[in-house]
C-alpha cells in the first residue's frame, strides 16, 4: 500500500494519495436497484486497490443491508446539514467495502427509513428531490469532517448525486467553488425533474434557475446540474457518449450535452470478476471455467428442472434477466416470441417492472409452460443460474448506456444476442461463422425481425459444435474486470486534480433569463 501510495504521489504530484468523494444513491451490497449500485461498488473498490482514498456517501435506507458489511460505527455527532435556509440533523454510520473504501451512511430516518430506495408500492416518493438534495449537501459536510475541506475530486453519480456538484459550484466558499468534479451519467432517461417552486427549499439560488443551468422548461432538472457544473461529464460507454448527443437518444438534454461535448466521454463499466465467477459460484449447480465447461451441462439441466421446463431437450435455451421498462425492449421479444418458439427455442425469463409486461410474460409462460418460464423477481441468485444454464442471452434494448447483464452472461458462458447500441455495442464483439473471433451476435434493426434474424444467425453457427465452443470460450475469457476502467477514471482525476490553472467553469447566467 505504501509503495502504491508513493506511486500515486508521483502520478498526481500530490503529497499524499488522491482523495475522491463519491456521492451515489446506491452502493452494492448495501442497497441496489439496478446496475448503478454494482458500478459504484466495483469502481470504488478498484480505485481503493490502486491506492486512491475513496469515501462514498450514500443514504441509510430502511432496506440497507447492514449485515452485508463490517459493523457500522456511528460518528459521535450529527452533520447538521444545511439545506435551503434550513438545517437537517443527519447522523453518520461509517462502514467499509473491501477494507479500503470508507462508506458513510447518512442516518436521517424521516427521509430515508423507508421500504425502498426511490419508491414503494404506492409509487415514487413525493419528496425524492429533498431526500437526494440532503444526501448531496451532507456529502460536502462529510468531506469537511474528514478532510477539513473539499476532496481532490468530487465524483457524483446520476441525478441523485448531481446536486453535490451544483452545491459545490454555487457555494459561498471559494474552496468549494473551485473543487474539481466529475459527474457520471448512468442513464439519461432519469433526470430528476421537479416543480421549479421547489428550488428554494432545495437551496438553489435564483441565479442558477435559467436554461443554461438547472432549469428545463418549467422544471428544475437535477441531472442538468451535473452536466452543466461538473468539470468532466462521463457516461458508461463510448458509444452511448456519442448517442446521447443526438435528439433521438438525448432525452431532451442533447443540446446541453452538445454544449459540453469537449468535456464529455464514455468509460465502459467493468464487472466484479470475483463476485461473478462460475468457477467459485455456490449459487449454481456445478462449477466450471473456460478451460473445462462440462459443469455447464449440469447447470442447464438444473435450471430446466427449477423452472419446470421440458428437460433433456437439446433445444437451445435463451436466458433473459432484465428490468421491464421500455428501454429494455421486452415488448420486442414478446412480439418475436411466436416465431422464436417455432424455431424450437426455449426461454428462461427473470424480470420485474411494468405490470402489463409482467402479465404478458406470465401468459406467454402459461400458454407454453414446457418452453417458456417466467419469474417476476429481481436479480440474484436465480439470475446467476440463468447466466450459467442458458445457451443464449437476449437483450434487445432500444438504448443501453452500458448494460451489465450481457457482461455477466458472457462471464458465465451464455452467448449474448443484443442490439448494437451503447454499451452493448462496446462490450459484445460480433462473432464470425467459425467462432475464431467474436463473443456474440449484434443486430442494428431494433425490432422483432432484427432480433429473430440475429438469433437465427446464432443458431446456424451453433450447429457447428466446434465453432460454438470457441465462441462460448471467447465470451468467458473476455476481460471484463474493473481494472482497465478504473485506470481510465484515475487518468481523468489526475488530469483534473493535477492540472493548473484549474480547467473549466460553469457558464454565467445569460442576461435577462434568470428566474
Ligand atoms: C443504468 C443503465 C445501464 C448501466 C447501469 C450502470 O442502469 O441503464 O445500461 O449498465 O446504469 O452504469
Amino acid at each position: 500500500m505504501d509503495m502504491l501510495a508513493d506511486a500515486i504521489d508521483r502520478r498526481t504530484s500530490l503529497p499524499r494519495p488522491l482523495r475522491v468523494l463519491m456521492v451515489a444513491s446506491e452502493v452494492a451490497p448495501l442497497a441496489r436497484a439496478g446496475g448503478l449500485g454494482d458500478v459504484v461498488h466495483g469502481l470504488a473498490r478498484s480505485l481503493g486497490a490502486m491506492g486512491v482514498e475513496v469515501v462514498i456517501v450514500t443514504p441509510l435506507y430502511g432496506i440497507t443491508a447492514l449485515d452485508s458489511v463490517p459493523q457500522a460505527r456511528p460518528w459521535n455527532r450529527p452533520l447538521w446539514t444545511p439545506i435551503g435556509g434550513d438545517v437537517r440533523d443527519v447522523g453518520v454510520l461509517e462502514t467499509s467495502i473491501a477494507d479500503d473504501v470508507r462508506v458513510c451512511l447518512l442516518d436521517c430516518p424521516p427521509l430515508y427509513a423507508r421500504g425502498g430506495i426511490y419508491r414503494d408500492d404506492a409509487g415514487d416518493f413525493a419528496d425524492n428531490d429533498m431526500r437526494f438534495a440532503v444526501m448531496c449537501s451532507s456529502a460536502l459536510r462529510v468531506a469537511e469532517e474528514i478532510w477539513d475541506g473539499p476532496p481532490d475530486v468530487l465524483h457524483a453519480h446520476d441525478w441523485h448525486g448531481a446536486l453535490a456538484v451544483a452545491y459545490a459550484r454555487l457555494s459561498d466558499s471559494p474552496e468549494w467553488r473551485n473543487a474539481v468534479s466529475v459527474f457520471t451519467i448512468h442513464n439519461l432517461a432519469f433526470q430528476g425533474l421537479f416543480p421549479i417552486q421547489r428550488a428554494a427549499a432545495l437551496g438553489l439560488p435564483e441565479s442558477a434557475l435559467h436554461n443554461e443551468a438547472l432549469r428545463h422548461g418549467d422544471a428544475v432538472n437535477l441531472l442538468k446540474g451535473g452536466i452543466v457544473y461538473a468539470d468532466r461529464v462521463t457516461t458508461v460507454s463510448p458509444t452511448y457518449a456519442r448517442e446521447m448527443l443526438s435528439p433521438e437518444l438525448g432525452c431532451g438534454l442533447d443540446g446541453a450535452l452538445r454544449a459540453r461535448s469537449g468535456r464529455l466521454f464514455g468509460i465502459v463499466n467493468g464487472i466484479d470478476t470475483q463476485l461473478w465467477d462460475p468457477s467459485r459460484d455456490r449459487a449454481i449447480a456445478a462449477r466450471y471455467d473456460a478451460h473445462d465447461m462440462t459443469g455447464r451441462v449440469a447447470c442447464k439441466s438444473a435450471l430446466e428442472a427449477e423452472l419446470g421446463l421440458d428437460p433433456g431437450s437439446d433445444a437451445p435455451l435463451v436466458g433473459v434477466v432484465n428490468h421491464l421498462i421500455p428501454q429494455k425492449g421486452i415488448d420486442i421479444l414478446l412480439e418475436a416470441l411466436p416465431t422464436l418458439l417455432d424455431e424450437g427455442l426455449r426461454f428462461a425469463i427473470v424480470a420485474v417492472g411494468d405490470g402489463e409486461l409482467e402479465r404478458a410474460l406470465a401468459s406467454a409462460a402459461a400458454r407454453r409452460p414446457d418452453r417458456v418460464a417466467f419469474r417476476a423477481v429481481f436479480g440474484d441468485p436465480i439470475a446467476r443460474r440463468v447466466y450459467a444454464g442458458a445457451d443464449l442471452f437476449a437483450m434487445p434494448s432500444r438504448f443501453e448506456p452500458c448494460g451489465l447483464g450481457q457482461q455477466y452472461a458472457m462471464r458465465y458462458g451464455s452467448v449474448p444476442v443484443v442490439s448494437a447500441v451503447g454499451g452493448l455495442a462496446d462490450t459484445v464483439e460480433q462473432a464470425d461463422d467459425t467462432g475464431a473471433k467474436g463473443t456474440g451476435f449484434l443486430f442494428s434493426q431494433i425490432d422483432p425481425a432484427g432480433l429473430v434474424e440475429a438469433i437465427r444467425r446464432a443458431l446456424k453457427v451453433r450447429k457447428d459444435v466446434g465453432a460454438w465452443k470457441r465462441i462460448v470460450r471467447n465470451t468467458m475469457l473476455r476481460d471484463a474486470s474493473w481494472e482497465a476502467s478504473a485506470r481510465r477514471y484515475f487518468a481523468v482525476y489526475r488530469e483534473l486534480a493535477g492540472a493548473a490553472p484549474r480547467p473549466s467553469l460553469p457558464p454565467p447566467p445569460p442576461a435577462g433569463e434568470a428566474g
Side-chain angles (χ1 to χ4, degrees):
M1 173 77 191
D2 277 342
M3 260 177 59
L4 261 174
D6 238 32
I8 300 279
D9 289 352
R10 267 182 270 117
R11 283 182 292 174
T12 58
S13 64
L14 287 168
R16 48 167 173 70
L18 190 77
R19 294 168 176 166
V20 176
L21 179 72
M22 289 222 186
V23 190
S25 56
E26 298 178 32
V27 185
L30 287 155
R32 64 186 289 271
L36 172 64
D38 290 353
V39 169
V40 171
H41 174 106
L43 173 61
R45 196 174 151 160
S46 219
L47 289 166
M50 288 165 63
V52 177
E53 186 183 342
V54 186
V55 174
I56 308 178
V57 177
T58 194
L60 175 67
Y61 304 106
I63 51 107
T64 295
L66 280 175
D67 56 357
S68 65
V69 289
Q71 168 98 57
R73 303 196 180 283
W75 284 13
N76 55 19
R77 55 196 162 115
L79 293 171
W80 302 118
T81 300
I83 188 93
D86 201 358
V87 172
R88 287 276 186 162
D89 177 348
V90 180
V92 174
L93 278 190
E94 183 172 333
T95 178
S96 59
I97 50 173
D99 300 338
D100 35 19
V101 175
R102 295 167 75 177
V103 181
C104 293
L105 294 162
L106 303 173
D107 186 9
C108 184
L111 292 176
Y112 306 130
R114 304 183 194 168
I117 299 179
Y118 310 111
R119 55 193 348 259
D120 59 16
D121 292 341
D124 284 353
F125 298 129
D127 57 349
N128 272 345
D129 53 353
M130 184 55 76
R131 296 173 75 234
F132 295 110
V134 169
M135 170 180 84
C136 292
S137 181
S138 299
L140 273 49
R141 294 282 307 112
V142 165
E144 292 284 347
E145 292 294 326
I146 295 182
W147 296 306
D148 274 335
D152 298 316
V153 179
L154 166 62
H155 188 168
H157 296 265
D158 270 352
W159 73 260
H160 331 94
L163 280 184
V165 175
Y167 288 147
R169 201 65 100 193
L170 299 166
S171 157
D172 291 337
S173 134
E175 263 194 303
W176 275 106
R177 276 205 302 280
N178 284 315
V180 163
S181 55
V182 175
F183 179 60
T184 299
I185 299 173
H186 295 261
N187 196 334
L188 203 49
F190 300 98
Q191 302 183 357
L193 291 169
F194 298 95
I196 198 89
Q197 295 77 5
R198 298 281 298 150
L202 303 177
L204 300 171
E206 196 73 355
S207 64
L209 301 181
H210 57 87
N211 280 326
E212 308 303 317
L214 281 157
R215 188 180 188 124
H216 199 68
D218 287 337
V220 252
N221 183 320
L222 300 187
L223 188 86
K224 219 172 149 188
I227 295 172
V228 169
Y229 291 116
D231 290 300
R232 291 289 180 277
V233 180
T234 74
T235 186
V236 289
S237 70
T239 298
Y240 191 58
R242 285 191 300 277
E243 291 169 344
M244 58 170 41
L245 301 179
S246 70
E248 297 74 43
L249 291 179
C251 299
L253 288 181
D254 45 297
L257 288 162
R258 278 196 302 274
R260 308 234 57 208
S261 60
R263 302 175 194 285
L264 164 76
F265 48 90
I267 300 177
V268 91
N269 290 331
I271 60 173
D272 187 324
T273 49
Q274 283 175 31
L275 284 177
W276 297 92
D277 179 357
S279 74
R280 286 195 283 187
D281 195 331
R282 294 280 140 200
I284 59 180
R287 259 69 37 212
Y288 58 92
D289 61 28
H291 306 290
D292 179 0
M293 297 186 281
T294 39
R296 285 204 101 236
V297 180
C299 288
K300 184 171 173 181
S301 318
L303 180 65
E304 288 163 357
E306 178 178 356
L307 297 177
L309 287 167
D310 172 17
S313 145
D314 184 46
L317 182 58
V318 183
V320 174
V321 177
N322 224 326
H323 291 286
L324 300 176
I325 51 176
Q327 169 193 346
K328 303 294 185 178
I330 301 297
D331 54 313
I332 296 175
L333 177 75
L334 271 165
E335 223 180 292
L337 204 59
T339 316
L340 295 172
L341 288 171
D342 285 347
E343 297 275 341
L345 292 168
R346 295 173 304 151
F347 289 83
I349 305 172
V350 172
V352 270
D354 177 77
E356 205 170 303
L357 286 170
E358 267 184 34
R359 282 188 293 280
L361 287 166
S363 81
R367 275 196 301 276
R368 295 303 304 270
D370 55 329
R371 305 273 296 281
V372 180
F374 169 57
R375 295 288 181 276
V377 295
F378 170 59
D380 276 358
I382 191 173
R384 292 169 179 270
R385 298 197 279 271
V386 173
Y387 298 134
D391 300 295
L392 299 173
F393 185 79
M395 220 165 143
S397 305
R398 294 196 162 80
F399 69 96
E400 195 61 69
C402 180
L404 297 175
Q406 83 282 10
Q407 299 202 67
Y408 297 140
M410 286 189 274
R411 175 98 173 125
Y412 280 63
S414 71
V415 175
V417 180
V418 299
S419 43
V421 292
L424 297 175
D426 292 344
T427 55
V428 178
E429 186 192 0
Q430 190 73 267
D432 65 9
D433 290 352
T434 65
K437 81 179 209 6
T439 56
F441 297 85
L442 294 132
F443 57 98
S444 330
Q445 182 193 323
I446 308 176
D447 61 15
L451 172 63
V452 168
E453 180 273 329
I455 289 188
R456 283 192 179 134
R457 249 190 294 139
L459 295 181
K460 197 165 146 239
V461 179
R462 189 169 175 271
K463 293 211 173 94
D464 177 344
V465 177
W468 192 253
K469 246 197 170 137
R470 282 189 287 279
I471 295 178
V472 174
R473 182 166 300 128
N474 294 348
T475 70
M476 295 188 67
L477 291 176
R478 169 180 177 272
D479 181 10
S481 69
W482 259 107
E483 209 183 301
S485 304
R487 285 188 185 285
R488 295 210 173 89
Y489 279 101
F490 183 79
V492 177
Y493 298 161
R494 181 184 46 179
E495 180 215 343
L496 291 169
R502 274 270 290 89
S504 91
L505 276 174
E513 215 206 296

